Amino acid sequence: MFDNLLRELRALERRSITVPIDSDEKGYIDKECPSTSCEFQFKIKDEDWKNICRDEGVWCPMCGHAAPAKSWFTKGQVRHAERHAHRVIQSTIDGAMRADARAFNGRQPRNSLISMSMKVGGAPHFTPHRVPAAASAAMELEIECEKCTCRFAVIGSAYFCHACGHSSVDRMFDDSLRKIRAKKDNVDVVRDAIAASAGRDEAELMCRSLIESCLQDGVTAFQRCCEGLYASTGPATPAPMNAFQRLAQGSELWAARVGITYEDILGAADLERLRRLFQKRHLLAHSDGIVDQRYINESGDMTYKVGQRITVSTSEVDGIVAGIGRLVEGLRRAIGAPQERP
């Protein structure tokens, strides 16, 4: 009675189901670091993934983890593939059972005292949820590797090329500054996109977090760039861990290495303003922005009391970009490194 169903089930055992992954409007496809301690998400040009990346090895732009190309599907893509495969299986079984039902019904005698028939119901439909494209696009930083020319995009910072593993922290610093400016300049785009999808409360929370993340991105980019520049002047003696997150310690290291301090580059007043922004970043990273006495003592910021939560303005984002940008330009001149790229 179920000849078609049994035949299709045997065929499914031997069949592989191909699930297409579409690129976005710019030609990028989503990828995710397979390291459970990272899981960084990024995008890569579809044509570069096919033509430049190698099957045996791809690198994470954030942590540098290497794994075969087949390991880089995002969790969302895996869920989509599972749902797609389930729908294919459901559709195949549904079609086979309908064919069996038609065959069964066609064999039943007409005008019989007892009549039997078989009916098959349809499979449920599924509608996937999509993240607002405008919100994601506004936060993306598009990068082209200076070594292999592979193109990729990230939300946040990136330190390695996924195709060749090349690390250019000096170049990435310039890209990170452009990304920070883009995040700040597109806050309204993000707010409108999230508000349309999830409501105004969620939009405001997202935008506040977005602006605050600019401080974290700036300090991280500055730290990585300084580590790379410092190593280029004396690779046998690397800087202490996270030394360049602390302006006073970093300035002392550069004074000993190349004879220039941060105050020589910025001047006392601008350096003090930058130090306060670094202290704000420290609060956001370690106490969710809640002010403690140490922050007041080290930053000299008397506008807050202990227990309050700091705020970050777009002008402060401009301030940290300008401050760390001038510092890096001064350090590059001091050691003869290339200046910022256009």
Side-chain angles (χ1 to χ4, degrees):
M1 182 169 64
F2 295 106
D3 294 340
N4 289 288
L5 177 60
L6 293 173
R7 184 168 55 253
E8 290 295 342
L9 289 175
R10 286 192 293 269
L12 283 172
E13 292 179 351
R14 302 186 299 270
R15 178 183 175 187
S16 62
I17 299 174
T18 300
V19 181
I21 299 176
D22 295 330
S23 57
D24 63 18
E25 66 278 1
K26 292 184 177 181
Y28 288 99
I29 54 174
D30 294 328
K31 297 296 175 183
E32 180 179 300
C33 178
S35 171
T36 56
S37 62
C38 178
E39 298 183 345
F40 181 71
Q41 293 191 351
F42 60 101
K43 293 174 178 287
I44 176 174
K45 281 287 187 179
D46 191 15
E47 60 187 277
D48 292 349
W49 179 260
K50 297 173 182 176
N51 300 329
I52 299 178
C53 292
R54 297 174 298 172
D55 291 341
E56 61 270 20
V58 173
W59 286 263
C60 173
M62 174 56 70
C63 72
H65 175 77
K70 64 182 180 181
S71 308
W72 294 83
F73 296 108
T74 70
K75 292 183 181 65
Q77 289 168 343
V78 172
R79 289 193 296 268
H80 168 72
E82 290 173 346
R83 290 192 294 264
H84 180 85
H86 289 160
R87 287 196 295 269
V88 170
I89 294 171
Q90 287 175 341
S91 176
T92 300
I93 292 175
D94 180 75
M97 292 186 68
R98 289 179 186 276
D100 285 330
R102 288 193 297 271
F104 176 81
N105 294 336
R107 290 194 298 266
Q108 299 308 304
R110 297 181 180 181
N111 303 318
S112 175
L113 180 63
I114 299 175
S115 70
M116 298 177 62
S117 65
M118 183 186 297
K119 182 178 180 181
V120 179
H125 295 285
F126 173 79
T127 302
H129 172 73
R130 295 185 179 274
V131 176
S136 298
M139 295 183 287
E140 286 177 5
L141 169 66
E142 296 186 43
I143 301 168
E144 180 175 320
C145 177
E146 58 194 20
K147 184 176 180 181
C148 72
T149 71
C150 200
R151 295 159 294 175
F152 59 108
V154 301
I155 296 177
S157 300
Y159 305 101
F160 302 91
C161 172
H162 56 278
C164 67
H166 176 63
S167 175
S168 177
V169 292
D170 191 39
R171 169 63 180 266
M172 294 303 180
F173 176 77
D174 300 330
D175 290 333
S176 292
L177 292 194
R178 284 190 281 272
K179 180 264 303 182
I180 293 170
R181 296 187 192 102
K183 287 171 68 173
K184 187 261 299 183
D185 293 341
N186 285 280
V187 167
D188 289 340
V189 175
V190 174
R191 180 181 289 109
D192 291 343
I194 298 297
S197 174
R200 298 220 64 88
D201 287 344
E202 289 295 324
E204 291 303 322
L205 288 172
M206 178 66 181
C207 288
R208 185 183 72 185
S209 176
L210 184 63
I211 290 297
E212 291 174 352
S213 73
C214 290
L215 294 189
Q216 177 68 48
D217 292 345
V219 172
T220 301
F222 179 71
Q223 173 195 344
R224 293 295 185 94
C225 184
C226 283
E227 288 173 347
L229 292 174
Y230 192 82
S232 72
T233 64
T237 54
M241 182 176 293
N242 296 332
F244 295 110
Q245 290 185 10
R246 299 177 286 273
L247 289 176
Q249 184 179 6
S251 183
E252 291 173 358
L253 289 170
W254 284 116
R257 182 61 62 89
V258 297
I260 191 172
T261 69
Y262 291 163
E263 187 170 336
D264 294 333
I265 299 172
L266 291 182
D270 286 348
L271 179 59
E272 186 59 32
R273 281 190 283 270
L274 186 62
R275 181 177 291 111
R276 182 172 296 184
L277 294 175
F278 268 55
Q279 290 296 325
K280 280 194 169 187
R281 193 283 319 175
H282 182 83
L283 278 186
L284 290 168
H286 299 287
S287 62
D288 195 31
I290 303 301
V291 175
D292 55 20
Q293 191 59 49
R294 180 180 177 183
Y295 168 78
I296 295 174
N297 294 342
E298 295 190 2
S299 70
D301 188 353
M302 305 304 294
T303 61
Y304 293 99
K305 296 180 180 179
V306 173
Q308 288 185 290
R309 191 183 190 282
I310 61 167
T311 60
V312 180
S313 65
T314 55
S315 63
E316 288 178 312
V317 174
D318 290 333
I320 198 168
V321 168
I324 62 177
R326 287 172 57 194
L327 284 180
V328 169
E329 287 178 6
L331 294 172
R332 284 169 172 165
R333 285 194 295 268
I335 65 178
Q339 298 301 300
E340 181 177 356
R341 299 152 181 85

